[in-house]
Amino acid sequence: MNIKSAAFVKGVIGSNEILVNGKFQVAFLGRSNVGKSTLINSLTRKKNLAHSSLSPGKTIRMDFFLINDSFYFVDFPGYGYAKHSYQKREKLAKMILWYLMYSEIKNRLVILVIDVKVGLTPYDADMLKTFHEHHINYIIVANKMDNLRMGQKEKQIINLQQEYPNSEVIPYSSKQKYQGFELIRRISSYIS
Ligand SMILES: Nc1nc2c(ncn2[C@@H]2O[C@H](COP(=O)(O)OP(=O)(O)O)[C@@H](O)[C@H]2O)c(=O)[nH]1
Ligand SMILES: [Mg+2]
């Protein structure tokens, strides 16, 4: 699959209606600042499609982008941002869980983005548990590979794969276009 077109469709705040129209949804989830929005821009080769920010936790919307006129990329607010108030964190958690458990969206893949140097945090582990409990397909993207030294790259991916043997872990870097084709190939294998 090639990504030929990508267009912003809708930003969803709180209880706005989300898009449920049968089209496949690829949801990008992960902690604040792991590079979710940049990843979407990198895969679509559009610099300013998804809003990437230097101040983490700014985005409180789910943004829907229509790809190739046939499926959606969904950019989520990042969780686990320490400077968020308790209320804001609760609101985000509710939004994400509601999306994940919302039974009407069946055709879906979650891309769980992590910072490869940090690995999976307890927040991410909670997410994995939810994916497993609700039979949600997911791929872990070990992002910002460019921050690892040459000798560490392979080792870190093998470690992650051994730690989470039931998960598919794909290395990536938006800075170096590392493994872009492989990630798109894996995403497209889920799209029905
Ligand atoms: N080194 C490196 N930095 C990245 C990469 N992807 C994103 N970033 C940086 O990480 C920060 C957060 O990116 P953003 O996409 O806004 O993260 P989000 O909060 O998960 O959506 C920005 O400063 C990006 O420039 C990457 O692959 N490598
Ligand atoms: Mg973002």
Side-chain angles (χ1 to χ4, degrees):
M1 180 185 72
N2 277 320
I3 295 182
K4 294 190 196 95
S5 66
F8 175 75
V9 178
K10 188 175 184 176
V12 174
I13 301 168
S15 57
N16 276 6
E17 285 222 352
I18 62 164
L19 280 173
V20 186
N21 57 9
K23 282 196 169 85
F24 197 92
Q25 301 193 359
V26 182
F28 293 76
L29 283 171
R31 279 172 41 250
S32 267
N33 219 32
V34 290
K36 297 176 295 298
S37 303
T38 309
L39 173 59
I40 289 176
N41 292 339
S42 162
L43 293 177
T44 56
R45 281 170 285 141
K46 287 200 168 189
K47 256 197 174 153
N48 299 309
L49 186 68
H51 192 264
S52 166
S53 168
L54 287 173
S55 49
K58 250 191 175 173
T59 330
I60 50 149
R61 288 199 320 259
M62 296 187 250
D63 286 331
F64 285 74
F65 305 97
L66 184 61
I67 310 297
N68 289 355
D69 289 322
S70 65
F71 63 93
Y72 297 108
F73 277 178
V74 191
D75 190 17
F76 270 79
Y79 48 79
Y81 183 51
K83 284 186 185 160
H84 274 163
S85 65
Y86 176 78
Q87 281 84 351
K88 197 164 179 186
R89 267 182 279 159
E90 281 291 289
K91 205 176 149 196
L92 286 181
K94 257 193 197 152
M95 187 189 214
I96 293 167
L97 290 179
W98 170 71
Y99 176 84
L100 291 176
M101 297 174 186
Y102 194 55
S103 61
E104 281 178 64
I105 304 167
K106 295 227 163 56
N107 300 323
R108 149 172 71 193
L109 171 70
V110 174
I111 306 296
L112 182 71
V113 185
I114 64 164
D115 181 330
V116 70
K117 255 191 156 170
V118 177
L120 275 91
T121 66
Y123 295 110
D124 301 311
D126 279 350
M127 280 291 150
L128 285 191
K129 219 171 127 200
T130 306
F131 301 160
H132 286 139
E133 279 170 7
H134 294 272
H135 308 287
I136 294 166
N137 288 327
Y138 69 93
I139 293 173
I140 297 174
V141 168
N143 201 27
K144 306 195 182 183
M145 286 294 286
D146 58 284
N147 281 339
L148 293 183
R149 272 182 278 119
M150 218 46 200
Q152 291 180 308
K153 290 186 200 243
E154 200 180 344
K155 211 168 113 194
Q156 186 73 338
I157 296 302
I158 290 171
N159 285 347
L160 281 168
Q161 198 73 78
Q162 280 174 346
E163 215 176 325
Y164 300 91
N166 298 320
S167 307
E168 179 176 11
V169 182
I170 299 187
Y172 194 80
S173 162
S174 294
K175 283 222 169 134
Q176 297 178 338
K177 302 269 188 276
Y178 190 79
Q179 292 275 48
F181 287 113
E182 177 60 9
L183 181 54
I184 289 176
R185 193 182 67 78
R186 291 304 303 143
I187 290 172
S188 61
S189 78
Y190 284 91
I191 298 175
S192 42

